[in-house]
């Protein structure tokens, strides 16, 4: 176990800075002051980040840390931090590590006893979720579905019994397919589709998946988030009934895993509940 204080003058620290998801007014004064103090900025796309900093009259040396070089670049940053350099990492938009690189960097820093502190800012899914009017008590953030249709379908099959609100990131060129797939796998759930958050064209759509069939798909441009209400169907089976169903599949030659999956699939019963009963 480790205990690392963030703000101790002598101790090494990495800052993760959340950047605006659209409106530049959301780049906080704390973020601006901190960037000014840094010796080195690591960024997903250095050109974008230097452009952003330029708007605030800041110029800094920058190095690239993106998905394909995350480990190697993280090691380099850790060396710099250990030498006493002040280093921050910024994503193109929103929080590092949220459908963006950053998690491995944070992990390696912690392994090297380097504090990781976050400068708060915009996050697309938090904006969408909080204005969705869909239950925010418990939610599950999925981010992007696979770009391969079969894999995306499998992911949705895994998610369809979740009771929690589910949040997806999506892009305009895939939105039609994703909405169709959601309707096919989840049934006619209530959703909120939100696009261009914090920007001049911000728009929020609310309704059932079947209603989205009627809208002009070309009008759904820009960056977008889909918030989907959780599965509120009640499990109507008693424990004995569930055990009987699984035993039936087992008697037909299925192995335990397949029998549990089939029962879960057919009768919309949570896998964990079945596993508890079939030990
Ligand atoms: N790190 C970011 C965050 O904290 O939200 C997410 C980056 S991810 C690469 C980009 C995706 O986030 C977009 O495809 C879109 O789904 C969502 N997104 C980012 N900015 C958005 C905005 N202004 N409005 C709606 N969705 C946005």
């Amino acid at each position: 176990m480790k205990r690392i204080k963030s703000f101790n003058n002598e101790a090494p620290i990495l800052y993760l800075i959340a950047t605006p998801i659209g409106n530049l007014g959301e780049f906080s004064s704390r973020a601006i002051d901190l960037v000014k103090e840094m010796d080195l900025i690591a960024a997903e796309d250095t050109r974008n980040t230097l452009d952003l900093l330029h708007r605030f009259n800041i110029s800094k040396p920058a190095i690239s840390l993106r998905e394909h070089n995350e480990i190697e670049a993280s090691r380099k940053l850790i060396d710099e931090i250990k030498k006493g350099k002040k280093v921050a990492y910024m994503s193109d938009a929103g929080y590092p590590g949220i459908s963006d690189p950053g998690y491995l960097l944070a992990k390696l820093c912690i392994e090297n006893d380097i504090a990781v502190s976050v400068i708060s800012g915009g996050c697309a899914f938090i904006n969408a979720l909080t204005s969705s009017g869909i239950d925010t008590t418990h939610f599950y953030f999925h981010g992007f579905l696979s770009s391969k249709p079969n894999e995306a379908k499998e992911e949705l099959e895994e998610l369809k019994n979740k009771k929690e609100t589910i949040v997806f990131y999506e892009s305009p060129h895939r939105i039609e397919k994703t909405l169709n797939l959601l309707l096919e796998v989840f049934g006619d759930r209530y959703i909120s589709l939100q696009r261009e958050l914090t920007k001049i064209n911000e728009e929020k759509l609310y309704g059932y998946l079947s209603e989205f069939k009627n809208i002009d798909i070309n009008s759904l441009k820009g960056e977008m988030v889909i918030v989907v209400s959780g599965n509120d169907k009640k499990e109507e089976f008693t424990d004995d009934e569930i055990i009987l169903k699984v035993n039936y599949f087992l008697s037909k030659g299925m192995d335990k895993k397949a029998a549990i999956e089939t029962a879960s699939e057919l009768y919309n019963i949570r896998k964990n509940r079945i596993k508890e009963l079939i030990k």
Side-chain angles (χ1 to χ4, degrees), residues 57-163:
N57 296 317
I58 303 170
S59 79
K60 288 284 166 184
I63 68 162
S64 152
L65 183 152
R66 40 181 62 216
E67 208 181 330
H68 76 265
N69 74 350
E70 193 171 353
I71 294 188
E72 190 189 315
S74 297
R75 293 211 170 105
K76 213 180 280 173
L77 286 182
I78 287 169
D79 285 346
E80 295 297 327
I81 296 171
K82 283 183 173 168
K83 281 185 213 155
K85 292 252 173 76
K86 293 180 176 169
V87 177
Y89 178 64
M90 298 163 75
S91 297
D92 275 358
Y95 273 76
I98 301 298
S99 293
D100 266 332
Y103 138 72
L104 284 173
L105 173 61
K107 181 175 187 290
L108 286 171
C109 281
I110 296 159
E111 282 170 12
N112 282 275
D113 299 312
I114 295 171
V116 181
S117 193
V118 176
I119 309 301
S120 318
C123 177
F125 89 79
I126 297 287
N127 274 37
L129 178 67
T130 49
S131 60
S132 67
I134 297 174
D135 193 351
T136 54
T137 320
H138 301 291
F139 64 87
Y140 168 82
F141 172 69
H142 191 78
F144 290 102
L145 286 162
S146 166
S147 57
K148 297 184 183 133
N150 283 347
E151 286 179 14
K153 192 169 178 187
E154 275 172 28
E155 286 173 48
L156 291 180
E157 294 283 357
E158 280 284 314
L159 298 175
K160 78 173 180 195
N161 293 324
K162 274 197 175 299
K163 293 199 175 348

